[in-house]
Amino acid sequence: MIETLVEEASMVGAAESRRSEAPQSFGWRFVDNGLRIEHPTASAASQADGTQVVAQKLPGRVTSAKVRQKPAEEVKPKAKWLGHVTSVSEDGFAATFVSDAGDRKAIVAEFDIEEVSKDDRPLLRVGAQLVWAIFTERRRGTIENGSVLYIRRIPAPSREAVALTQKKLDDWFGALE
Amino acid sequence: MNPPDPDEIEVSIFGPGFGEALAVHMGHGEWLTVDSCRNLAAKPEAGDNALLEYFDHIGVDPSQAVKLIVVTHWHDDHIEGISDILRAAPPAHVAVTAALGSKDFRAAISPWLTGPGAEKKGLKELERFGRAIQSRAIFPKIACIDKVLFERNAIVRKEVRALSPSDASVLACIADLVQIPREDVSGRMPAVHGNHTSVVLSVVVGDRKILLGADLEVRSSRQHGWLATVDSHTQAERSRYSVFKSSHHGSPNGDHPEIWDKMLVDRPNVILAPFVNGSVMRPQDSDIGRILSRTDKAWITATPKGAKYKPSNRAVIREMEEKARRVQEVPRGYGHVRLRGKLQDDPCQWEVATFGQAMELRNAV
């Protein structure tokens, strides 16, 4: 369920991030004992039939994303890794990750190409930033393992912001020319 | 740990698996530092800069002792914490690679330095470095082939000379830089190919000669890379080096028979730090074999090999095994190799000490 939810929300996020140059807070994060979708214009609301709407009235082609399964009663984060793709082949890819726990652990992992959603595959290239999170979820008394692996959508900086950065660099290093 | 005696030369290399830094005692309390890395086994709040931690341990005050700071090239594994060293040694001269002086370079990296996620791209250090440079009274030197970066003639002759990059390499680097994509900056900034402008250093103190290979690579043209450095050395009829910091973490693209045949003594002392990033791990067994075919006196700061990742949580193990074809822990072993030799010994006998996970290179196979 969570994978579906995040995939669909990612699609929304991609559509949004291409439109705007302003930095946005988008993605998901673990809160006290659950997983929370964050998007400036998205809201989460449970409906009477058990469907959870995670986005409404969004600009662009995607206007809403619906999760077809009932949400888990409890989601517990177990590990979260932030990384980037180091190589891509026809049927797989490799990535390096650093633990988000602040313990400086780093891992290298190889995946089948199917492990990222179809929406993410066009973004799969060397340097693309990834998030891999592992969690357990409780549903009707049963505890299951789950994980999400997705590519971060990073909005392009504005021309003004880039020009400001270049001015700083020129101030610091221009005399070396 | 004790500091070296005033008449003692020291070459120390530090490496945490991803990173490399060197400290060279040129005698009489004068030090050269090359690049920077962190001791990942240390707590950041306690100060984890490999070189500053070492100076602290041996009771050396970097603000008095460090005379020259060299940044060989701007790659993540060589610059982490370099701004800390600049701040700790305000009077020291700084020498940097030519790339920073290129307007094209600055234009190319600006989009990557801007916006959310920039802090993840390893470029924040550039900002800290820039601020540290701006606040210094002495402006940095550009290191290039045959340029003397430090010189002393009192008591004993001391010289630090850049042996690269060649002029042709600097131009080639700028040509590469302008091709860095500027529109889509959603991933990590791509590496500029070839380590064109990496700064190889010659350190001469009296009769002692040390060659620090940085990450310079061999190119097919003699105008570029190691072959330009070898030719420059041969034309100047300089004598050979007895200590060699192997280039580019022992990679084949950082090695060439002419380096050994024309620049190094027979069976030199070789030191290196490993490089582990993604599926790239250097030196590989074949690299170690190649180096050991030239000398039996070689040391490495840590193992270059990864191990299967074994998290303590079973749920994490199961999910990782289900999701990924293979998961390996990136080795974060940290070590230090130290060579010390008396200035007056003839021939110079190097006393080698290893700390942390450092070992003889033959044991890393």
Side-chain angles (χ1 to χ4, degrees), chain B residues 81-286:
Chain B
I82 189 75
S83 53
D84 299 335
I85 297 172
L86 261 69
R87 278 194 293 272
H93 286 273
V94 179
V96 297
T97 175
L100 285 176
S102 157
K103 198 169 180 65
D104 287 326
F105 174 74
R106 299 194 298 271
I109 65 171
S110 292
W112 299 86
L113 268 175
T114 312
E119 75 282 0
K120 305 282 185 197
K121 295 172 189 163
L123 293 170
K124 274 285 165 189
E125 188 63 45
L126 187 63
E127 181 172 350
R128 288 192 286 266
F129 182 78
R131 291 187 191 284
I133 285 288
Q134 206 174 31
S135 65
R136 295 173 81 82
I138 312 168
F139 205 74
K141 296 178 180 184
I142 294 277
C144 56
I145 194 162
D146 270 335
K147 185 169 184 176
V148 174
L149 304 175
F150 177 83
E151 211 171 10
R152 282 271 195 281
N153 285 307
I155 310 175
V156 63
R157 175 161 170 72
K158 301 173 187 176
E159 181 195 91
V160 180
R161 180 187 293 266
L163 299 184
S164 72
S166 65
D167 295 343
S169 290
V170 174
L171 292 174
C173 174
I174 292 169
D176 272 1
L177 288 166
V178 295
Q179 291 176 30
I180 290 180
R182 300 177 196 191
E183 302 306 320
D184 179 4
V185 295
S186 60
R188 284 175 70 89
M189 182 176 163
V192 178
H193 296 295
N195 290 301
H196 285 307
T197 59
S198 193
V199 180
V200 170
L201 292 172
S202 158
V203 182
V204 179
V205 182
D207 295 334
R208 311 288 170 246
K209 297 198 69 182
I210 299 150
L211 182 63
L212 306 178
D215 274 5
L216 191 65
E217 294 181 15
V218 176
R219 312 288 291 176
S220 53
S221 161
R222 298 199 77 90
Q223 307 299 315
H224 297 276
W226 266 110
L227 294 178
T229 295
V230 169
D231 285 348
S232 165
H233 174 86
T234 309
Q235 284 157 15
E237 297 181 346
R238 297 195 182 105
S239 55
R240 296 174 183 229
Y241 299 89
S242 62
V243 175
F244 178 41
K245 198 293 289 180
S246 179
S247 177
H248 208 198
H249 314 278
S251 301
N253 61 17
D255 198 0
H256 194 278
E258 289 191 35
I259 301 170
W260 300 86
D261 295 340
K262 296 183 175 177
M263 297 186 74
L264 301 174
V265 299
D266 189 33
R267 294 176 57 236
N269 296 277
V270 173
I271 53 175
L272 70 157
F275 176 88
V276 184
N277 192 25
S279 51
V280 180
M281 297 189 185
R282 292 289 178 184
Q284 295 180 356
D285 286 352
S286 56

Side-chain angles (χ1 to χ4, degrees), chain A residues 81 84 91 96 104-110 112 115 125 127 145 147 154 161 165-166 170 172-173 175 177, chain B residues 40 44 48 101 103 106 110 114 127 134 139 184 186-188 278 315 318-319 323 325-330:
Chain A
W81 302 85
H84 66 275
D91 62 343
T96 299
R104 293 180 160 186
K105 284 228 180 283
I107 55 170
V108 178
E110 290 174 9
D112 289 330
E115 293 297 342
R125 56 182 169 74
N145 297 328
S147 76
I154 298 173
T165 302
Q166 192 171 343
D170 289 344
W172 296 332
F173 303 116
E177 281 180 57
Chain B
L40 297 178
D48 60 358
K103 198 169 180 65
R106 299 194 298 271
S110 292
T114 312
E127 181 172 350
Q134 206 174 31
F139 205 74
D184 179 4
S186 60
R188 284 175 70 89
R318 276 199 296 271
E319 192 59 28
K323 193 98 174 168
R325 290 177 186 167
R326 183 178 71 103
V327 180
Q328 267 200 316
E329 184 163 4
V330 175

Side-chain angles (χ1 to χ4, degrees), chain A residues 20-75:
Chain A
S20 170
E21 292 183 333
Q24 297 174 32
S25 163
F26 167 70
W28 59 273
R29 67 186 173 94
F30 290 119
V31 291
D32 297 336
N33 57 358
L35 194 67
R36 176 175 166 177
I37 300 294
E38 292 178 331
H39 190 284
T41 54
S43 61
S46 294
Q47 295 186 336
D49 64 355
T51 302
Q52 190 177 27
V53 178
V54 295
Q56 286 182 317
K57 295 178 184 174
L58 289 168
R61 191 167 49 82
V62 181
T63 55
S64 71
K66 289 188 177 182
V67 178
R68 292 166 195 82
Q69 286 179 280
K70 282 187 176 178
E73 291 143 25
E74 186 182 35
V75 178

Side-chain angles (χ1 to χ4, degrees), chain A residues 84-159:
Chain A
H84 66 275
V85 176
T86 54
S87 65
V88 181
S89 64
E90 214 167 85
D91 62 343
F93 63 99
T96 299
F97 294 91
V98 177
S99 167
D100 193 43
D103 56 6
R104 293 180 160 186
K105 284 228 180 283
I107 55 170
V108 178
E110 290 174 9
F111 302 92
D112 289 330
I113 211 93
E114 289 78 23
E115 293 297 342
V116 292
S117 71
K118 283 183 181 173
D119 296 320
D120 273 7
R121 280 177 215 166
L123 304 172
L124 198 59
R125 56 182 169 74
V126 172
Q129 295 190 26
L130 284 166
V131 178
W132 186 15
I134 296 171
F135 51 85
T136 58
E137 56 182 332
R138 187 162 61 84
R139 195 188 304 277
R140 291 178 182 166
T142 306
I143 294 175
E144 294 173 3
N145 297 328
S147 76
V148 285
L149 179 67
Y150 68 91
I151 295 174
R152 289 184 68 199
R153 266 83 169 172
I154 298 173
S158 69
R159 284 181 186 162

